[in-house]
């Protein structure tokens, strides 16, 4: 029982290889459960909130392994962040205003073969950025072949070709 207590409560210099290994296994298994519960969007990092969750989640769990905090408090903190993420996404899916705050919105940067320069400047997207995505995604270098190019919430550019 004393060993189990040490695994969950030891911090910093109290940790040695014999405590780090079981903590790492526990954190890994719990993290897999948390990420599965957080849904696929967490893995895809589709937006700023998803990226923030990934960074904070990783930081919290690393503290559990390296002894920056107790294992129990790190796991509870990790679960709290995942629950908060789920709550925010739940309500943002039902509120367009909250959705825009949390997830952002898409911006049309090419319409009918014409650059929409104000939107491009607003998001620091260059003509060359758009042309590169056109070559990579639409397999063409003809801007006139583009009906619409959209800077998505994720930062990726999607392209719809003319018919």
């Amino acid at each position: 029982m004393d060993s189990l207590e040490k695994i969950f409560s030891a911090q910093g210099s109290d940790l040695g290889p014999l405590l780090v290994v079981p903590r790492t296994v526990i954190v890994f298994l719990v993290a897999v459960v948390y990420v599965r519960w957080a849904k696929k969007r967490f893995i895809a990092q589709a937006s700023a909130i998803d990226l923030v969750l990934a960074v904070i989640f990783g930081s919290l769990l690393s503290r559990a392994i390296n002894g920056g905090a107790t294992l129990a408090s790190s796991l509870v903190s990790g679960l709290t962040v995942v629950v908060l993420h789920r709550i925010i996404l739940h309500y943002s899916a039902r509120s367009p205003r909250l959705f825009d705050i949390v997830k952002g919105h898409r911006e049309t940067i090419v319409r009918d073969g014409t650059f929409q320069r104000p939107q491009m400047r607003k998001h620091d997207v260059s003509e060359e950025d758009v042309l590169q995505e056109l070559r990579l995604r639409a397999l063409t270098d003809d801007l006139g072949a583009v009906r619409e190019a959209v800077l998505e919430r994720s930062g990726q550019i999607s392209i719809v070709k003319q018919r």
Side-chain angles (χ1 to χ4, degrees), residues 20 34 42 48 53 56 59 61 78 81 88 96 112 117 152 161:
V20 169
Y34 286 178
F42 168 60
L53 172 69
I56 291 174
S59 175
L61 296 183
V81 169
I88 290 170
D112 297 323
R117 286 182 176 79
E152 301 291 352
K161 293 169 91 173

Side-chain angles (χ1 to χ4, degrees), residues 42-112:
F42 168 60
I43 299 167
Q45 296 178 357
S47 69
I49 191 171
D50 299 322
L51 179 59
V52 167
L53 172 69
V55 170
I56 291 174
F57 190 67
S59 175
L60 288 170
L61 296 183
S62 73
R63 292 173 52 106
I65 293 170
N66 68 23
T70 66
L71 180 60
S73 65
S74 296
L75 295 178
V76 169
S77 296
L79 180 59
T80 302
V81 169
V82 170
V83 169
L84 182 61
H85 181 258
R86 291 280 310 263
I87 290 169
I88 290 170
L89 292 182
H90 173 81
Y91 286 106
S92 69
R94 286 149 184 78
S95 165
R97 181 169 162 82
L98 182 58
F99 180 87
D100 279 347
I101 291 169
V102 171
K103 302 294 277 182
H105 57 279
R106 62 189 216 115
E107 196 79 58
T108 300
I109 55 177
V110 174
R111 178 165 285 132
D112 297 323

Side-chain angles (χ1 to χ4, degrees), residues 115-132:
F115 288 116
Q116 305 297 299
R117 286 182 176 79
Q119 288 81 5
M120 291 170 63
R121 278 191 298 276
K122 178 180 173 185
H123 297 285
D124 297 323
V125 176
S126 70
E127 290 181 9
E128 187 52 42
D129 292 334
V130 175
L131 294 173
Q132 176 182 327

